Amino acid sequence: MSTEEISDLIKRVSLRDRRAFSALYDRTSAKLFGVCLRILRSRAEAEEAMQEVYIKIWQRADRYVPGRNSPISWLAAIARNHAIDVVRARKPVADGIDAAVDLPDDGPGPEQAAIMSGEAGRLGDCLGKLDQNKAEAVVSAYMEGYSYQELADRHAIPLNTMRTWLRRSLIQLRECLER
Amino acid sequence: MNGDENTKAGKGEDDNFAAAEHVLGLADAETRAAFARRLETDRALAEEVAGWETRLSPLDGGYEPVTPPPALKAAIEERLFGAAPEETTGLARLWNSLAIWRGLAAATSAAALVAVYLAVFPATTPAPTTVQLVASLEAEGAATQLLALFDPGTGQLRVTPLSVQPVEDRDFEVWFIEADSAPISVGVISQHEHNTVDISEALQRAIHEGTTIAISLEPLGGSPTGQPTGPVVAAGQANLI
């Protein structure tokens, strides 16, 4: 799956090219389904989210700016955003109902492996310079879509402390990446 | 550093953090929705968000692909395109898409109103006939309006800008688009003047009722890639009068 190929397909989708849309779906749906499943932790919800995500991709393809982000990251951002919106819109009582879905639970997920193996490149290096629990908070917020409250609960610290952690960590990260 | 600069820097930092917060997805539903609305109009903020998306995107490598159920694709395509034949998508859908295209055309702030007049050889008719086609489309706040006329007698496409806010250092490029194919470049035209474009015989055969004619904003001299690279500022579908 070449970056250029995906980029080209998105461009063609922006011109209402249905064949390109079909090809784009074939090449990217597994990745985006992985994103939706990870954040929503429910197959049913993830499938529903995928419909909305690909409809957004069809509608917003013209906003893709080649060269800035990898096209797959642009698509993943749409999927992450939508999945997080769905999670945030849930009634509190619905939380955890589908927790029994056959997904790897928390703990060092594949992203940790990716960071360890250097796949995350400079970002991985810079995360490595943060305190471990703070780096984990950043990574799990991104990967799992946790809210401030969920992160605070998991780390057993007050919500405002978590907010401060993240704010400082993100400033440190940005400075490290710009160095 | 004076007070103004401090305030500015403070706001910049706040926006930068709000952007990171948004990309990480930390905030509650209301905050996210309010931020998303701001993003629609605040370009500086959109830049901050794009910056954080770029910084954090290496983490995407951690998402394991999972093949979705096969029925999902059909469900999506049915929702987008319906079960009906493709050409029934009609003008309303085209305009819906134009409303979105308009977003990227912020440089021209082009809401689009396009009329396309065509006279064609119907592709399936062996003897050339002169059948006129028309499509008239409208979007709210219409600002851009062009008229295209294909004359099978001369083999020329005439494109007349009726209402266009010109964008400096850019050209308009005209495309023919069939539902299932990549756009075909017809040629580069002026944003200001009446244009006459000679249409090759092959292209003449490609144009018929239902063909979409689109105009994109391109670098001077036209798209460097052979495919549209800029926003579509106007489009319309060829129809029989």
Side-chain angles (χ1 to χ4, degrees):
Chain A
M1 180 167 76
S2 97
T3 296
E4 229 163 79
E5 207 179 346
I6 303 291
S7 187
D8 185 53
L9 287 173
I10 295 173
K11 186 74 61 193
R12 284 169 54 194
V13 167
S14 79
L15 284 147
R16 327 276 89 183
D17 180 339
R18 293 181 194 180
R19 194 176 290 168
F21 181 78
S22 169
L24 184 68
Y25 180 93
D26 292 344
R27 271 157 231 209
T28 57
S29 56
K31 185 72 174 180
L32 300 199
F33 194 48
V35 172
C36 292
L37 268 177
R38 185 78 181 270
I39 292 171
L40 291 165
R41 295 160 189 256
S42 148
R43 278 194 89 87
E45 281 195 324
E47 287 176 24
E48 208 173 299
M50 283 284 278
Q51 295 201 22
E52 304 305 325
V53 165
Y54 275 92
I55 285 166
K56 284 182 183 173
I57 290 169
W58 173 259
Q59 292 169 338
R60 297 182 186 174
D62 63 321
R63 301 193 193 182
Y64 172 65
V65 182
R68 170 133 209 178
N69 280 347
S70 84
I72 194 76
S73 283
W74 185 80
L75 298 168
I78 292 175
R80 278 187 66 251
N81 258 316
H82 181 75
I84 289 168
D85 282 340
V86 171
V87 172
R88 295 287 172 274
R90 277 180 191 157
K91 301 249 180 335
V93 69
D95 279 350
I97 276 182
D98 284 309
V101 80
D102 56 340
L103 285 170
D105 208 353
D106 304 331
E111 73 277 7
Q112 300 290 7
I115 292 164
M116 300 300 199
S117 71
E119 219 180 284
R122 292 204 50 220
L123 177 64
D125 294 344
C126 289
L127 281 167
K129 287 178 182 149
L130 300 177
D131 293 343
Q132 200 191 334
N133 51 6
K134 290 175 186 162
E136 271 172 20
V138 172
V139 172
S140 63
Y142 188 91
M143 298 300 298
E144 320 286 345
Y146 289 144
S147 65
Y148 278 128
Q149 190 62 60
E150 285 167 306
L151 288 169
D153 292 347
R154 300 179 71 82
H155 288 259
I157 57 170
L159 191 146
N160 275 335
T161 310
M162 178 51 77
R163 202 186 295 268
T164 309
W165 271 24
L166 284 171
R167 183 160 189 147
R168 286 189 188 145
S169 301
L170 289 164
I171 290 171
Q172 257 178 279
L173 262 188
R174 196 186 64 198
E175 284 171 353
C176 174
L177 286 167
E178 281 164 5
R179 213 166 283 154
Chain B
M1 191 186 279
N2 66 30
D4 277 0
E5 279 168 351
N6 274 327
T7 313
K8 219 181 217 176
K11 183 180 181 295
E13 276 305 312
D14 284 348
D15 276 355
N16 185 274
F17 180 64
E21 194 177 52
H22 185 75
V23 172
L24 283 176
L26 293 160
D28 58 35
E30 293 76 31
T31 311
R32 282 180 65 71
F35 189 89
R37 281 194 299 276
R38 260 189 81 194
L39 262 189
E40 290 293 319
T41 53
D42 189 334
R43 292 192 72 81
L45 196 62
E47 275 300 299
E48 298 282 11
V49 167
W52 275 107
E53 283 177 348
T54 303
R55 285 181 200 110
L56 295 171
S57 64
L59 293 174
D60 291 334
Y63 287 111
E64 298 278 1
V66 181
T67 305
L72 192 56
K73 184 179 180 183
I76 292 166
E77 292 191 320
E78 171 145 11
R79 275 185 63 186
L80 277 174
F81 313 131
E86 296 189 343
E87 293 313 321
T88 62
T89 54
L91 308 182
R93 185 182 303 281
L94 189 61
W95 277 115
N96 287 339
S97 62
L98 279 174
I100 292 151
W101 286 338
R102 197 181 59 211
L104 241 199
T108 59
S109 68
L113 171 66
V114 176
V116 176
Y117 290 90
L118 280 173
V120 299
F121 302 109
T124 50
T125 308
T129 54
T130 309
V131 184
Q132 288 204 305
L133 297 180
V134 63
S136 184
L137 308 165
E138 202 167 345
E140 62 275 35
T144 300
Q145 189 179 5
L146 298 102
L147 193 70
L149 173 76
F150 176 65
D151 179 355
T154 61
Q156 288 176 331
L157 180 75
R158 281 178 283 160
V159 184
T160 308
L162 300 177
S163 166
V164 170
Q165 288 178 313
V167 179
E168 273 183 44
D169 298 330
R170 289 285 185 281
D171 275 334
F172 276 174
E173 188 156 355
V174 184
W175 308 85
F176 288 170
I177 307 169
E178 291 303 319
D180 275 343
S181 326
I184 305 166
S185 176
V186 177
V188 173
I189 61 168
S190 155
Q191 296 181 44
H192 309 275
E193 294 154 21
H194 178 86
N195 298 272
T196 305
V197 184
D198 289 320
I199 304 297
S200 72
E201 275 182 34
L203 267 182
Q204 289 184 32
R205 282 191 293 275
I207 185 170
H208 53 81
E209 185 185 13
T211 300
T212 295
I213 298 177
I215 294 173
S216 68
L217 201 58
E218 299 293 342
L220 291 178
S223 163
T225 66
Q227 285 293 296
T229 63
V232 172
V233 294
Q237 215 166 15
N239 278 301
L240 286 164
I241 289 177

